[in-house]
Amino acid sequence: MPRRPLRVAILGATGAVGQELLQLLEERAFPVAELLPLASPRSAGQSLRWQERSLTIQPVEEGVFEGVDLVLASAGGSVSRRWAPLAAAAGAVVIDNSSAFRLHPAVPLVVPEVNPESARGHRGIIANPNCTTILLTLALAPLQARRRIERVVVSTYQSASGAGARAMEELRDLSRTVLDGGEPVSTVLPHSLAFNLFLHNSPLQPNGYCEEELKMLHETRKIMGLPELRLSATCVRVPVLRAHSEAVNIRFEEPFPVDEARALLARAPGVELIENFETNRFPMPTDVTGRDPVAVGRIRQDLSDPNALELWLCGDQIRKGAALNAVQIAELLLQDRPGGEA
Ligand code: NAP
């Protein structure tokens, strides 16, 4: 990565993650010399505002990545599969939010608080993990550093925003329809999420798990360097606009005193403890919406297993689960420039 301010392309600039990326680059004063917003032909030619400037959205096409240093990609797997290798071949580093390259052995899968060193081995493409997995590993890593984790059982409560900007809009619209006494008919998500919930809509696999649940298994193993980790997930879409929640049961190879786990999580990077047993106050999606940390709480001994702990967490998955994590990876690359701090 060169030492000068960078030419940065946002691939998927009009999407939920793309919009957050634009905001974070500005908020975190990322050294941008030039910003290139890219989207589908549907949005090409429209303008968007960034840092008081009006920028014209361009379509992705041959030659568009020439001279670009960094591509932050969030336009889906098929777009990334087609364009990320071309961008890398043109000399850019691509940080990809899609699942296209996450399990590729030559592509680092990075959560900066957990495995920052992995980013160094990149060959032009770095994968940003699945959103629920990022949030989960932030809570698992500090505990695993103290006592080996044997098994994780996790249930997720995933917001509409995990399915993109149009799914959020659909939840707003269909909630109004229900309140007005109408029949909600979904066109973006497979079922109406208004006053409803359903099992995650990613494709079902022959073993009965859906793709999202298996992403949590395979990506957690790769990020944490635990290829044998046993993990079972149940992923559920809930009528929350933004921020995912997870109920997590963690079994260790020996008992883990609750107070020790709490103290570790309280000082873990990227984690915030929200926990008041007297007032029954624990993390909620609204605590973390638009914020960076993953909120953890209700850490308790599993009554059914002396070696296991239970905890609850919430995180803004558009931010830490996607855009913020990607920008933090880019910041790691800046630190690695010759002579340099970000
Ligand atoms: P989104 O709101 O639906 O946005 C999709 C973006 O991709 C839009 O900018 C869209 O442009 C662009 N796009 C679609 N087809 C394209 C094409 N053929 N060529 C160029 N651009 C194209 O989706 P999102 O939620 O931001 O998610 C984007 C990616 O991030 C996905 O891979 C998703 O799995 C991943 N991700 C999302 C989250 C999340 O919480 N939402 C978390 C982690 C990872 P137009 O506006 O022109 O259609």
Side-chain angles (χ1 to χ4, degrees), residues 276-293:
N276 189 331
F277 283 88
E278 278 162 26
T279 59
N280 201 347
R281 180 67 169 87
F282 303 106
M284 300 187 287
T286 45
D287 289 323
V288 291
T289 295
R291 295 184 59 232
D292 293 352

Side-chain angles (χ1 to χ4, degrees), residues 66-340:
E66 291 305 323
V68 169
D69 302 302
L70 175 68
V71 179
L72 299 171
S74 64
S78 57
V79 176
S80 285
R81 262 187 290 278
R82 173 156 184 219
W83 294 104
L86 295 174
V93 177
V94 181
I95 301 176
D96 182 32
N97 272 290
S98 82
S99 58
F101 302 101
R102 288 180 188 152
L103 297 181
H104 192 295
V107 174
L109 183 66
V110 180
V111 179
E113 294 88 343
V114 178
N115 62 337
E117 64 293 340
S118 305
R120 298 212 169 93
H122 79 81
R123 299 184 202 164
I125 301 177
I126 299 176
N128 211 38
N130 162 269
C131 49
T132 43
T133 307
I134 293 176
L135 307 181
L136 177 66
T137 57
L138 281 183
L140 295 184
L143 303 176
Q144 158 70 24
R146 186 64 61 89
R147 285 182 183 79
R148 204 173 69 80
I149 296 174
E150 279 188 345
R151 180 175 184 240
V152 177
V153 180
V154 55
S155 300
T156 70
Y157 304 70
Q158 301 186 213
S159 60
S161 56
R166 288 176 59 234
M168 291 171 85
E169 204 46 48
E170 177 168 279
L171 174 57
R172 282 194 196 94
D173 289 347
L174 295 186
S175 298
R176 275 186 216 109
T177 303
V178 173
L179 289 172
D180 292 344
E183 187 62 35
V185 179
S186 58
T187 54
V188 179
L189 290 169
H191 312 284
S192 166
L193 203 49
F195 305 97
N196 191 23
L197 57 79
F198 49 84
L199 283 157
H200 197 279
N201 44 298
S202 55
L204 272 177
Q205 307 303 303
N207 61 9
Y209 283 83
C210 70
E211 218 169 59
E212 181 85 351
E213 291 160 351
L214 294 182
K215 282 178 188 172
M216 292 194 78
L217 167 65
H218 297 300
E219 295 185 27
T220 303
R221 285 178 167 178
K222 180 169 174 177
I223 295 160
M224 296 187 64
L226 298 172
E228 308 290 322
L229 178 70
R230 291 187 290 148
L231 184 150
S232 180
T234 303
C235 293
V236 181
R237 189 76 76 193
V238 296
V240 170
L241 266 180
R242 189 167 158 153
H244 290 354
S245 305
E246 304 181 25
V248 192
N249 181 284
I250 313 161
R251 184 174 207 280
F252 300 87
E253 62 182 2
E254 58 184 322
F256 203 138
V258 173
D259 288 347
E260 192 183 337
R262 181 173 294 117
L264 285 167
L265 287 166
R267 60 171 187 267
V271 173
E272 174 179 279
L273 210 59
I274 298 183
E275 193 172 61
N276 189 331
F277 283 88
E278 278 162 26
T279 59
N280 201 347
R281 180 67 169 87
F282 303 106
M284 300 187 287
T286 45
D287 289 323
V288 291
T289 295
R291 295 184 59 232
D292 293 352
V294 171
V296 175
R298 205 134 181 261
I299 306 158
R300 60 200 189 280
Q301 174 68 53
D302 175 347
L303 284 180
S304 69
D305 184 340
N307 287 8
L309 296 177
E310 291 275 1
L311 58 82
W312 171 255
L313 64 84
C314 296
D316 184 327
Q317 94 293 337
I318 297 185
R319 208 168 170 93
K320 181 54 191 170
L324 173 64
N325 198 74
V327 173
Q328 286 174 319
I329 295 172
E331 289 169 349
L332 284 178
L333 302 177
L334 294 183
Q335 284 167 19
D336 284 349
R337 297 187 295 188

